[in-house]
Amino acid sequence: MADREIGVRKPDAATTFAADDELFDTRIQCIDCSKDFVWTVGEQAFYRDKKLENPPKRCKDCKKAKNERLAAIENAQRSGVKQRIEVKVSCARCSEATTVPFYPSQGRPVYCRSCFLELNPSILNGNGNGNHAA
Ligand SMILES: [Zn+2]
Ligand SMILES: [Zn+2]
C-alpha cells in the first residue's frame, strides 16, 4: 500500500456542508391548499440550526390554521368539553354528500341519514319485542 496517502483529501470533496450563501429560496407546494409558497433562506437556516431534516409541508396560512385547530382541540380536551366534529363524506348508497359526527374508519361504508334509517328500520320502530333475536 505504498501509493496510498493517509490524511490527504481532495480539496473539492472536503466541503460537505453548505455555507449560508449557498442557500436559495425554494418553492414548495402546500399539502393543504396546493399553493406554492417560498421556503426562504432564513427559514432554511433556521431549520438547519434546529437540525430539522424535513422541509415544511404547509404554507404559513395553513400552518397557522393547523396550529389553531390543534390548539382548539387541546383546549377542548383540557376543559372537558367534547369537540363536535363534522366529517364530510358521501353516502355509500345514494352518493349524497352528508356529514357525520365521527371519523369513518377505512373501508366501512358511511350512509346519509335517510339511507341509514332505511337500512336500520329498527331504529325508527324502536320496539324491542325480540322478534329478530339472533
Ligand atoms: Zn396552504
Ligand atoms: Zn344515502
Side-chain angles (χ1 to χ4, degrees), residues 14 25 53 55 66 83 109 117:
D25 288 358
E53 294 189 354
K66 187 196 156 214
Q83 180 85 351
L117 290 176

Side-chain angles (χ1 to χ4, degrees), residues 56-127:
K57 295 192 193 75
R58 288 177 180 81
C59 68
K60 282 217 176 74
D61 285 349
C62 290
K63 200 166 144 189
K64 196 168 156 243
K66 187 196 156 214
N67 286 340
E68 280 168 5
R69 222 152 53 217
L70 289 178
I73 291 170
E74 227 170 74
N75 278 340
Q77 282 171 346
R78 217 176 291 136
S79 59
V81 178
K82 265 212 178 145
Q83 180 85 351
R84 218 185 110 85
I85 59 163
E86 267 195 355
V87 184
K88 280 199 187 115
V89 293
S90 52
C91 174
R93 193 156 169 260
C94 68
S95 302
E96 187 104 5
T98 184
T99 57
V100 292
F102 57 87
Y103 287 101
S105 46
Q106 285 232 317
R108 265 189 77 189
V110 179
Y111 304 104
C112 69
R113 195 177 151 75
S114 57
C115 286
F116 182 77
L117 290 176
E118 264 183 66
L119 292 165
N120 300 276
S122 58
I123 292 176
L124 266 189
N125 298 336
N127 50 5

